[in-house]
Amino acid sequence: MKKILRSEYLPVLLLIAVNLVVGTLTLSHYGETWDEQNYYFYADQSLKAYAGLFQPGFIPTFDPTLRYYGPVFTMPAVLLWRAFPGIVISDFQHAINWLAFQAALVTFYLLARRWLDGWASFGATLLLAAQPLLWGHAFINPKDTPFMAGFLACIYSGLKMVDALDNMDSPPPGPERFTTDILRRDLAALRPSTRRLLAVLTAGGILAAAALAFLLNAAWPEIPPAFRDDASAAELTIYLRGLAAQLRGLSFLALFTWLILRWLALARLPFTRAALTGEASAYIRSVWRCLRHPAIFIAGLLLGLSLSIRLLAFAAAALVGLLLFLRHRADFLPALTAYGLVSLPVMYITWPYLWQEPLVRFLVALRVMANFPWPGRTLFDGTYYSPEMLPNHYLPTIWGIQLTEPLLALALLGLLCFMVLAWRRRLGRDLGPVISLWLLLPLSAILLAGPSLYDNARQLYFILPPLFLLTGLALQALFGWIRHKVPRAALLLLAALPGWIGIASLHPYQYIYYNRLVGGTTSVERRFELDYWGLSYRETAAYLNAELSQGARALVIGPEASLWRFTRPDIQVVGEAEAGDLPVPFHLVTLTRNDADLLYFPDAPVIFSVERQGATLSVVKLIEERQP
């Protein structure tokens, strides 16, 4: 017992335990977001694709937008709902999201301990957990919060992989490496006539290989039209399909050319053959040695699963690959090959959309996700913008008013500490590249190039953890002056207090939090986005269930599933497309997003509204007569 109480992991484990209790008690308070119904439909399509492997003639279909994401994180919720259909499916998903956030907190703490002491690491983790913005998204967001957790896991496991190579036994010395001198030695041993004959046979063999590759590529069976996917990004898909055919032809050419050279030329060049064969064997042994190491296998597995959430996980792989190259140049290629041999099959297996045309669909998804085509508008400082027209300062402004003030102050102090330590060359190993490439470089690129963002930049939450690492640097510097535990604990509690107040006062809409730099959530109505995902429709549904008579009608503007999921079965819920056929009287349910509450039936009385801290999120209006 004493060993447990003295463990450095006890504070973070207690934090996770408290979070799990609070999450269990409040899980059912959170509504369903705008996109969730489509995600469940897409996950169901993906699960049917697995069953279709055993059904001849089965033709898989996938959501035309969401297929560019992997479904790995929403399929478990659908499976659980199939097993327990009496429970709301979004509650299953929110529980999974919440568990992923707890895993992210543990991973962040372990990552911070590479460079910070226990107090600073826990303090940074506590502030990460105490952000109302992230607390809210930790329940409701099936994409960005899990991806943040996956990205963190990729960075941490990738660094552990790099560390593991420090302790791996060096491979035994290989055979003599191939050089042009070896080739000259072999050629010098041949008679001139034999050299000429060998050159002619080799050239002829390569031409024969090219012809065979062309014929085989031409005869390669085409994907049946039923399996083709040209519904969106059609021009790009068709272009890449032709490119993939060319790459396949080049692969055939390389294979057949190697076989020709192996059988004709290398058979008469013994020293060259021995050197090339030895190098290839040594490389394969090195890759196998890496594949067998648990740290490399786990890193590849986590990368593959993260790729099946968002392809941007390749950015984590790039950072890990750079650190791998800087620290282990001799083992770089074998380790990177093993990393890919684990991660890419995991991504492929867990993403059924890729199965039919892996290369083409992968490249299309990569291109689409690089600049996702979102058609809506974003409210920023009282003005509506299209995503590509947002001002360059959008991201730092949004984060500056949605994160708590103590965090911002500590992060600025941490950035100063980071620069001083870098100048003095006293940064911990790998900390400089991690913070620079994970946070500072993306932020600089967005500031210079301009963002194409929406929904308060939730897509970029995966670059927030290094901001908390900077906070940890600041706390470590402060704790150098504050030696006693009580004032240290008091400082952490004071730093976390504004976040806890926001979490409690905005529940269950913590994701609409704004700090006092902009006047708080009370002051941002119709200036910045509030309930852009329609969470308040669950609370609205509770009002309708209690107040509406049998067979009443409700017209919903926005996400229909976010309302009908929670209303009584006898209440007729229709969307905007069916509004013309809806007889009066009926109830209008709308968000305040895009000023919809002002645009639809502006003269109708508001009989109910969902509010937090004086900001209105959604309203219910009684419509007794049609307006001209």
Side-chain angles (χ1 to χ4, degrees):
M1 188 65 178
K2 291 182 178 180
K3 185 176 181 181
I4 296 176
L5 293 176
R6 293 175 181 175
S7 171
E8 68 165 289
Y9 301 108
L10 179 62
V12 74
L13 292 177
L14 289 175
L15 174 64
I16 299 303
V18 171
N19 285 351
L20 290 175
V21 171
V22 174
T24 302
L25 295 175
T26 62
L27 178 69
S28 61
H29 301 173
Y30 291 87
E32 184 171 310
T33 64
W34 198 306
D35 300 331
E36 279 190 70
Q37 172 66 8
N38 292 335
Y39 266 94
Y40 303 142
F41 182 62
Y42 171 50
D44 185 66
Q45 290 175 320
S46 299
L47 289 170
K48 288 177 179 176
Y50 288 98
L53 294 173
F54 308 98
Q55 301 173 13
F58 176 79
I59 300 175
T61 58
F62 302 98
D63 183 278
T65 300
L66 298 179
R67 59 189 170 192
Y68 301 124
Y69 298 93
V72 70
F73 208 77
T74 46
M75 289 191 293
V78 174
L79 289 172
L80 287 170
W81 181 74
R82 287 178 181 178
F84 305 97
I87 299 177
V88 178
I89 189 172
S90 53
D91 286 346
F92 279 126
Q93 185 61 58
H94 295 170
I96 296 171
N97 298 344
W98 185 240
L99 291 175
F101 185 63
Q102 306 316 305
L105 293 176
V106 173
T107 306
F108 175 81
Y109 177 81
L110 295 174
L111 181 65
R113 286 294 287 122
R114 290 178 64 91
W115 306 292
L116 306 174
D117 62 27
W119 273 93
S121 298
F122 175 71
T125 306
L126 181 67
L127 284 173
L128 177 61
Q131 296 304 304
L133 175 68
L134 297 179
W135 181 283
H137 277 279
F139 283 99
I140 65 174
N141 195 328
K143 296 180 290 188
D144 308 300
T145 305
F147 181 68
M148 181 183 73
F151 203 92
L152 258 169
C154 288
I155 296 294
Y156 178 70
S157 62
L159 290 173
K160 296 295 285 185
M161 175 182 74
V162 175
D163 293 341
L165 292 177
D166 292 337
N167 302 319
M168 285 181 66
D169 296 331
S170 301
E176 184 180 10
R177 297 179 62 86
F178 172 75
T179 63
T180 54
D181 291 336
I182 295 176
L183 178 60
R184 292 193 191 99
R185 186 197 316 168
D186 274 330
L187 292 175
L190 299 176
R191 292 181 299 178
S193 59
T194 304
R195 287 200 298 269
R196 288 192 294 270
L197 178 61
L198 184 61
V200 171
L201 290 175
T202 301
I206 292 174
L207 290 175
L212 183 59
F214 175 80
L215 292 173
L216 184 57
N217 193 47
W220 193 263
E222 283 288 333
I223 299 288
F227 288 99
R228 288 196 168 186
D229 182 21
D230 295 326
S232 64
E235 294 182 2
L236 180 62
T237 302
I238 294 170
Y239 167 75
L240 290 174
R241 190 172 287 131
L243 180 62
Q246 295 177 25
L247 292 175
R248 185 175 61 236
L250 291 175
S251 300
F252 288 145
L253 176 59
L255 173 63
F256 295 143
T257 300
W258 164 250
L259 292 175
I260 292 295
L261 291 174
R262 178 69 177 84
W263 291 335
L264 287 178
L266 294 181
R268 292 162 179 79
L269 303 173
F271 293 108
T272 301
R273 182 179 69 247
L276 291 175
T277 303
E279 282 197 37
S281 299
Y283 180 77
I284 292 172
R285 286 195 300 270
S286 295
V287 171
W288 177 243
R289 184 170 58 97
C290 292
L291 279 172
R292 289 164 41 188
H293 197 288
I296 297 176
F297 182 83
I298 292 172
L301 177 64
L302 292 173
L303 174 60
L305 293 173
S306 299
L307 287 169
S308 195
I309 300 174
R310 280 174 66 184
L311 284 175
L312 203 53
F314 275 122
L319 175 55
V320 170
L322 176 62
L323 295 175
L324 185 64
F325 176 77
L326 293 176
R327 286 175 51 183
H328 300 284
R329 298 192 182 187
D331 294 319
F332 170 70
L333 283 178
L336 197 64
T337 302
Y339 195 34
L341 286 175
V342 176
S343 60
L344 294 179
V346 170
M347 177 191 70
Y348 179 76
I349 292 169
T350 56
W351 194 345
Y353 168 67
L354 299 178
W355 291 354
Q356 294 299 325
E357 297 177 283
L359 179 60
V360 171
R361 295 188 179 187
F362 172 79
L363 292 175
V364 169
L366 195 63
R367 175 64 184 86
V368 171
M369 295 311 298
N371 189 14
F372 191 76
W374 190 71
R377 302 184 303 166
T378 293
L379 179 61
F380 178 66
D381 201 15
T383 302
Y384 285 101
Y385 295 90
S386 60
E388 66 277 3
M389 298 302 294
L390 284 165
N392 290 50
H393 62 276
Y394 172 74
L395 180 61
T397 300
I398 282 295
W399 283 357
I401 61 179
Q402 283 212 285
L403 299 173
T404 60
E405 299 91 329
L407 169 69
L408 297 174
L410 288 170
L412 289 175
L413 178 59
L415 180 61
L416 178 62
C417 294
F418 176 78
M419 291 187 293
V420 170
L421 291 173
W423 176 262
R424 295 178 178 177
R425 298 184 178 182
R426 292 173 54 189
L427 280 175
R429 186 175 64 174
D430 302 328
L431 181 59
V434 166
I435 289 182
S436 299
L437 298 178
W438 191 356
L439 175 66
L440 301 181
L441 181 62
L443 277 179
S444 300
I446 291 170
L447 286 172
L448 293 174
S452 179
L453 302 169
Y454 52 91
D455 290 352
N456 284 1
R458 57 178 174 77
Q459 308 85 0
L460 296 179
Y461 289 162
F462 72 95
I463 67 173
L464 277 175
L467 187 71
F468 291 87
L469 288 177
L470 291 177
T471 301
L473 283 176
L475 288 172
Q476 186 155 279
L478 292 173
F479 291 155
W481 295 86
I482 305 173
R483 299 291 184 177
H484 297 290
K485 294 180 180 180
V486 173
R488 284 185 175 187
L491 175 62
L492 294 183
L493 292 176
L494 287 174
L497 185 60
W500 290 337
I501 293 174
I503 289 170
S505 61
L506 291 172
H507 179 77
Y509 312 113
Q510 292 93 349
Y511 85 122
I512 68 168
Y513 172 83
Y514 290 86
N515 62 36
R516 290 175 180 79
L517 296 179
V518 73
T521 304
T522 306
S523 303
V524 300
E525 186 172 353
R526 309 202 193 277
R527 287 183 58 201
F528 296 94
E529 297 284 2
L530 287 171
D531 187 18
Y532 55 79
W533 258 353
L535 256 67
S536 56
Y537 278 0
R538 187 167 192 169
E539 187 173 340
T540 301
Y543 167 81
L544 298 179
N545 292 338
E547 300 296 330
L548 267 61
S549 60
Q550 188 82 11
R553 295 173 291 271
L555 169 63
V556 58
I557 306 300
E560 299 172 39
S562 298
L563 185 70
W564 64 250
R565 184 86 67 193
F566 307 104
T567 53
R568 299 193 320 254
D570 64 278
I571 297 177
Q572 181 186 356
V573 178
V574 301
E576 190 174 358
E578 305 170 78
D581 300 327
L582 192 65
V584 294
F586 61 86
H587 290 77
L588 174 74
V589 179
T590 182
L591 300 170
T592 57
R593 186 183 194 185
N594 293 324
D595 296 328
D597 59 319
L598 304 179
L599 297 175
Y600 290 88
F601 298 92
D603 298 327
V606 174
I607 60 173
F608 177 77
S609 62
V610 177
E611 299 180 1
R612 287 296 185 277
Q613 293 187 3
T616 304
L617 309 183
S618 61
V619 301
V620 177
K621 296 181 179 182
L622 177 61
I623 311 301
E624 297 183 296
E625 61 180 32
R626 292 279 183 179
Q627 297 176 348

